Amino acid sequence: MGDRIKVIMDCDPGIDDGIALAYAAAHQDELELLAITTFAGNATIDKVTKNALELADFYGLKVPVAKGQERPLVKEPLHAEEFHGETGLGHCVLPETKKELASDNAVLFIRDILNDLPEGEQVTVIETAPMTNLALLLRIFPEVKEKIRQIVFMGGAAKGGNITPAAEFNIYADPEAAKIVFSSGIPLVMCGLDATLKCNLTRNQIMKLCQSGNPVAKACGDMVGYVLGNPTKYRCVASIHDAVPFMYLLHPEFFKTEKALLDVDCSEGAGRGATLCDFRWWLHEEDEMKDIILTDADTGNFQQELFESIYSVSGCRAAK
Ligand code: RIB
Ligand code: CA
């Protein structure tokens, strides 16, 4: 295998996190997943961590899983079980796993991985949850910054929100953590709602997954089919937000991007959790405008690439 992209994924599975992991499992020739760490975003830390262990084992990912923080830096925990169901994976019931946690302290686990990297090597962090684990890592161990090539995160929006009119869930759940990450100086790629709302699977595609004899396709169908349970809310498509950071790494041509200076509203007002994208290039130096904002996505390419990748996951445990 050529030089694979070294990746650490911080996540909160979560239906779309679960499908993003299927995409990663389908592309292990290009992506070297070094660790999966969890945060209590979509559901409690025990639920998201159990889901991460079962998903990794089911997809045949020989990747360590470490448990992260169970609450945001400042505010009370905010979960999204109305969107992800009681287990966090919709209607999907995965085989029980014997896979054990590599660590119950994700921050220390990531620090050790980064410190053990050969000289000159770097990791891409894919963040598909609120940024609490990352913020603590960067505050407690700032020296690891040089080991992180970029942070490609699903979160925020240049315009609008989903959990409030102004804010997207991952950022809204811990805006103080996002503030720490955004001001770290590490290059950021924001896969926000401007792009991810166009990265969906149609009702027909989901029905095909649900009726498939392929165990990974069936599992993904049972996950995302839950989202379609409320068609009045979803207009018959389901965004697979968290697959976008992985797909951006392998197919940047599917997306439109602009450079900006990224900030976040940590006030207590109606704008709390809003990501502020300063596109005013004429006011800032070239190197200040270091953050890449995904402003659009090619829905057809996304749907075909994700759909085909789901069917190509080969290491599935259930298939044995
Ligand atoms: O707003 C969408 C994001 O919030 C996704 O990461 C989803 O999993 C939820 O965590
Ligand atoms: Ca998520």
Side-chain angles (χ1 to χ4, degrees):
M1 292 177 205
D3 282 348
R4 297 188 292 164
I5 303 170
K6 292 186 187 317
V7 173
I8 291 175
M9 180 187 191
D10 189 57
C11 59
D12 57 345
I15 288 171
D16 53 336
D17 306 72
I19 295 176
L21 273 169
Y23 185 78
H27 293 278
Q28 294 181 70
D29 288 349
E30 301 136 287
L31 298 166
E32 184 182 3
L33 197 48
L34 300 179
I36 298 168
T37 56
T38 62
F39 173 73
N42 287 320
T44 63
I45 192 63
D46 289 341
K47 285 185 181 178
V48 298
T49 305
K50 173 178 183 290
N51 291 340
L53 286 166
E54 289 181 355
L55 286 160
D57 191 22
F58 177 67
Y59 292 145
L61 284 167
K62 307 281 183 275
V63 178
V65 175
K67 180 163 79 169
Q69 295 295 302
E70 61 184 30
R71 56 165 301 135
L73 294 181
V74 177
K75 298 289 187 182
E76 288 307 305
L78 173 69
H79 298 321
E81 294 185 3
E82 70 278 19
F83 294 94
H84 297 269
E86 201 272 328
T87 67
L89 293 181
H91 298 308
C92 177
V93 180
L94 293 172
E96 278 193 25
T97 180
K98 291 187 175 50
K99 189 178 179 79
E100 296 190 353
L101 274 179
S103 165
D104 60 4
N105 188 318
V107 171
L108 294 181
F109 193 70
I110 297 172
R111 187 274 311 262
D112 292 345
I113 289 176
L114 295 177
N115 283 345
D116 291 348
L117 277 178
E119 187 61 32
E121 288 200 15
Q122 292 183 305
V123 163
T124 292
V125 172
I126 285 191
E127 177 63 80
T128 64
M131 298 181 162
T132 313
N133 291 335
L134 259 189
L136 288 170
L137 172 79
L138 297 175
R139 264 292 156 86
I140 302 167
F141 305 110
E143 69 279 8
V144 303
K145 286 183 193 176
E146 64 185 23
K147 297 285 190 172
I148 300 175
R149 179 186 309 285
Q150 60 182 348
I151 297 169
V152 187
F153 69 95
M154 192 283 131
K159 179 169 69 71
N162 56 7
I163 193 74
T164 76
E168 178 279 328
F169 176 82
N170 284 337
I171 306 300
Y172 182 78
D174 199 343
E176 287 78 14
K179 188 85 171 178
I180 291 170
V181 173
F182 290 4
S183 57
S184 68
I186 298 171
L188 302 171
V189 179
M190 183 172 100
C191 305
L193 297 175
D194 318 276
T196 67
L197 284 174
K198 296 187 176 181
C199 296
N200 51 55
L201 290 175
T202 65
R203 175 181 284 276
N204 285 342
Q205 285 178 314
I206 295 168
M207 296 316 286
K208 275 192 190 140
L209 292 174
C210 291
Q211 292 157 5
S212 173
N214 175 307
V216 172
K218 176 75 168 63
C220 289
D222 291 344
M223 283 185 250
V224 70
Y226 182 86
V227 176
L228 289 189
N230 316 311
T232 48
K233 280 189 185 175
Y234 297 104
R235 298 190 205 97
C236 300
V237 291
S239 294
I240 315 298
H241 304 277
D242 292 339
V244 174
F246 283 108
M247 205 175 291
Y248 170 78
L249 286 183
L250 302 185
H251 290 285
E253 72 278 9
F254 289 0
F255 306 95
K256 284 198 179 129
T257 62
E258 281 188 47
K259 286 285 191 76
L261 199 51
L262 193 49
D263 197 355
V264 56
D265 181 342
C266 292
S267 73
E268 297 297 334
R272 179 171 173 79
T275 45
L276 309 170
C277 300
D278 187 349
F279 292 109
R280 296 173 298 170
W281 52 270
W282 59 90
L283 287 183
H284 303 293
E285 297 302 319
E286 180 94 18
D287 59 359
E288 270 190 288
M289 302 284 277
K290 63 175 177 46
D291 303 323
I292 295 173
I293 311 297
L294 269 59
T295 55
D296 202 353
D298 182 310
T299 302
N301 278 334
F302 175 88
Q303 290 173 336
Q304 182 176 348
E305 167 69 6
L306 180 59
F307 203 66
E308 289 173 359
S309 299
I310 287 171
Y311 279 90
S312 71
V313 176
S314 56
C316 174
R317 188 164 71 94
K320 292 188 176 57

